[in-house]
Structure formats: C-alpha cells, structure tokens
Amino acid sequence: MGKASKDKRDIYYRKAKEEGWRARSAFKLLQIDDEFNIFEGVKRVVDLCAAPGSWSQVLSRKLYIPSKLNPEYRNGDRPLIVAIDLQPMAPIDGVIQVQGDITNARTAEVVIKHFDGCKADLVVCDGAPDVTGLHDMDEFVQSQLILAALTIVTHVLRVGGKFISKIFRGKDTSLLYCQLKLFFPRVTFAKPRSSRNSSIEAFAVCEDYCPPEGFNPKDLYRLLERVGSPCGSSDLDCSSAWLEGANKVYIPFLACGDLNGYDSDRSYPLTASADGSYRSLDPVQPPIAPPYKRALELKKASSSHAAAALVDIDVDTLTLS
Ligand code: SAM
C-alpha cells in the first residue's frame, strides 16, 4: 500500500505523522487517559515493550517536558520514565532506555535498579508478539507477555498504582480478568477509538494496586494458577466458579476516546494543499533496528546480486555478439 493510500485509509496513521508521533499507538494511550485520567499524580513510570516509542513520547510530553518548563522542579525531582524493549529506539527527552526481554528476570532487575528503592506510580505495557493470525497462538504468546509484565508490576508498582496492558480478547479473557482482579480492585477492559474494531486488541486498565495480604512476588505463578484450577481456592475472590451460572463474571468493557471523533475503521478524504496536490508526510522516526532489518538487507543483497547477474548476462551477450 502506498503512503498516500495508507494516509487515506488510516486517519490515525496520518494524524500521528502530522502531530509528530512515532506510531499511531500514541492515540490509544491518549484516549485511555481521556477516560481514566491515568497520568494524574504520576512521577515514575515504566513503559514495557516501548519501541518505536510513541507511548514513551506521550509520557515525555505529558510528564517530563512540563516538568522541564516548570522552574519549581529541580533535576532530581523530575519524573522518571524507564522504557524497555527488545529493540533499541531513538532517544526521547527524559526517557531512560533499557534494551532487553521483559520475560527475562535480569531485565526486571535492571528496571528495579533504575528506581533505586522507589516504586513506580504507573506501569504500561503495549507488548505484542509478531502476530501469526492464528488467534489461539497469538493470544497465548500475548498472555505470556502480560504475565511477564505482571511480574515486573509486583516488584516495582506502589500500592495504589496503575497498570495498563494490551490484551487480546479471546476465550481466556475472563480468566485473565480474574487473575488481574487478585491484584487490582478495579479492572476495566477498554477499547480506544483508535484501535480498529477488526482487531482483537483491547487494553486492561487496572487501578489501585493492592496485592493480597502477605503476597510474595515469588509466589505469583502459583497464585495465578489457583485462579484457573478446578479446585480454585475459596479464599480468592475469583475461583473457577466464575465460569458458571450465577457466579459468572461480567467484565466491564468500555469504548474510550471521543466517540464523535475519528473512526479507525473508516477512510477519510485527503486534504489537498494550495496547489491542489496531496503531499504525504514521512514517518516521524523510522525504527532504528527493526526485526525485519535483516530480511530487508537480504532482499536488497539478493536483488543487487540479481542486478549484477543481469549485468554479467549483458556483458556475456555483448561478448558473444
Ligand atoms: N507502544 C509502542 C509505541 O507506542 O511505539 C509500540 C509497541 S509494539 C506494538 C510492540 C513491541 O513489543 C515491539 O517493539 C516488540 O519489540 C516488543 N516486544 C515483544 N516481545 C517483547 C519482549 N519479550 N520483551 C520486550 N519487548 C518485547
């Protein structure tokens, strides 16, 4: 799809470039904030699975840049934003980057070190595996990322803090809801207007972190397993009984963002400039080391080999004739 055609079909792709966001995902976080006011009182944040960095940009613009412009802030008091991804990303004002895998304990340790004994007010995670289109598989891999994020949450989030995580809606959504409810009294699944209806993506907005009494982060997996097991413990709010009859859990699900605003599933006409032409903007910041980089290099190499082979043929042909 050409850039202009993508601009026409995806209003948020176009708007992201106009407003200087690295990815259209920025609008998802902004629309979640419109509904849940997630940045209120926030001074320390962890952005998990952050590349290419549009959520980190939102955090920088909402939290760090205003503090820089405010003379009352001294350097040490400025908001702390730590962003983690497998991929490196171009620098963002006020964002500390950690390159690593969130499912790896060592990455979690590096994040914790940056907080130097303090806790975070907010953890966000927009992690997504490379989607295969096989919904069960995608949902499973996604759930592993959420569990890794929850592990980090149980180490760094302060009591009363918030956790926002991308989820894929599927048959295990109720289980995930119950697992999150063990730690957060308020859990809402939200669908921002900028997230396409055709996508199974949604976001769990978990508020007021409150781990069970005596909880030890080492026991996280054991605790989560008990929620899903047929002999789910009666001391938990959610046991396996949530599946059935009167105990069935209804998950709060909310559409968010201006409902009269742009619809991500609609095409919008392009606005021509004074001379009547349309000029598509370049992406704000192309990924600096995307996972497909090697594939592109190989493709380029093979086409230049092909081109070289053509030149050889031409030379041979010339020699022959
Ligand atoms: N929120 C980002 C933004 O606004 O620019 C977009 C995130 S993108 C949808 C998903 C990211 O998850 C990718 O950059 C990918 O590298 C990252 N990711 C996937 N698995 C990961 C893992 N195990 N550890 C760290 N990052 C991971």
Side-chain angles (χ1 to χ4, degrees), residues 22-29 47-58 84-89 98-104 107 124-130 141-142 144-145 148 166 201 291:
R22 291 179 181 185
R24 66 193 294 294
S25 326
F27 295 107
K28 300 175 191 170
L29 193 60
D47 182 5
L48 298 170
C49 302
S54 76
W55 281 26
S56 288
Q57 282 184 292
V58 171
I84 301 105
D85 203 286
L86 290 170
Q87 311 297 329
M89 51 183 202
V98 175
Q99 194 179 346
D101 181 343
I102 66 160
T103 63
N104 185 323
T107 309
V124 296
C125 176
D126 190 25
D130 288 336
V141 181
Q142 180 68 15
Q144 296 310 300
L145 282 183
K166 192 206 291 280
E201 159 193 273

Side-chain angles (χ1 to χ4, degrees), residues 12-27:
Y12 286 103
Y13 170 77
R14 182 164 118 204
K15 289 270 159 216
K17 292 189 290 181
E18 286 169 8
E19 294 180 20
W21 303 114
R22 291 179 181 185
R24 66 193 294 294
S25 326
F27 295 107

Side-chain angles (χ1 to χ4, degrees), residues 27 47 57 80-81 136 201-202 246 295 303-304 307 321:
F27 295 107
D47 182 5
Q57 282 184 292
L80 176 66
I81 305 167
D136 280 357
E201 159 193 273
S303 52
S304 56
S321 57

Side-chain angles (χ1 to χ4, degrees), residues 139 143 146-147 150 163 165-190 203-207 224 227-228 237-239 242-243 247-254:
E139 202 192 322
S143 68
I146 299 173
L147 287 185
L150 193 56
F163 171 46
S165 178
K166 192 206 291 280
I167 60 160
F168 283 172
R169 284 171 299 152
K171 60 180 174 10
D172 288 334
T173 308
S174 322
L175 173 62
L176 175 64
Y177 173 77
C178 284
Q179 289 174 324
L180 292 170
K181 282 283 282 182
L182 287 176
F183 297 91
F184 297 90
R186 267 183 298 156
V187 177
T188 310
F189 286 175
F203 293 85
V205 180
C206 311
E207 296 173 273
L224 295 179
V227 180
D237 281 339
C238 294
S239 69
W242 49 260
L243 282 173
N247 291 321
K248 190 167 168 56
V249 165
Y250 290 97
I251 304 171
F253 196 88
L254 205 74

Side-chain angles (χ1 to χ4, degrees), residues 64-185:
Y64 185 79
I65 292 175
S67 81
K68 233 170 109 174
L69 302 174
N70 183 345
E72 280 176 21
Y73 274 98
R74 278 167 295 129
N75 259 342
D77 294 340
R78 295 230 172 102
L80 176 66
I81 305 167
V82 181
I84 301 105
D85 203 286
L86 290 170
Q87 311 297 329
M89 51 183 202
I92 297 171
D93 204 10
V95 177
I96 297 171
Q97 286 187 42
V98 175
Q99 194 179 346
D101 181 343
I102 66 160
T103 63
N104 185 323
R106 289 195 46 199
T107 309
E109 281 161 19
V110 177
V111 176
I112 294 163
K113 255 194 199 145
H114 277 293
F115 281 88
D116 196 20
C118 294
K119 296 268 181 175
D121 307 299
L122 173 69
V123 177
V124 296
C125 176
D126 190 25
D130 288 336
V131 176
T132 64
L134 302 169
H135 285 345
D136 280 357
M137 168 91 102
D138 293 337
E139 202 192 322
F140 172 76
V141 181
Q142 180 68 15
S143 68
Q144 296 310 300
L145 282 183
I146 299 173
L147 287 185
L150 193 56
T151 307
I152 294 178
V153 161
T154 59
H155 283 92
V156 301
L157 191 62
R158 70 164 168 83
V159 168
K162 293 172 195 151
F163 171 46
I164 317 294
S165 178
K166 192 206 291 280
I167 60 160
F168 283 172
R169 284 171 299 152
K171 60 180 174 10
D172 288 334
T173 308
S174 322
L175 173 62
L176 175 64
Y177 173 77
C178 284
Q179 289 174 324
L180 292 170
K181 282 283 282 182
L182 287 176
F183 297 91
F184 297 90

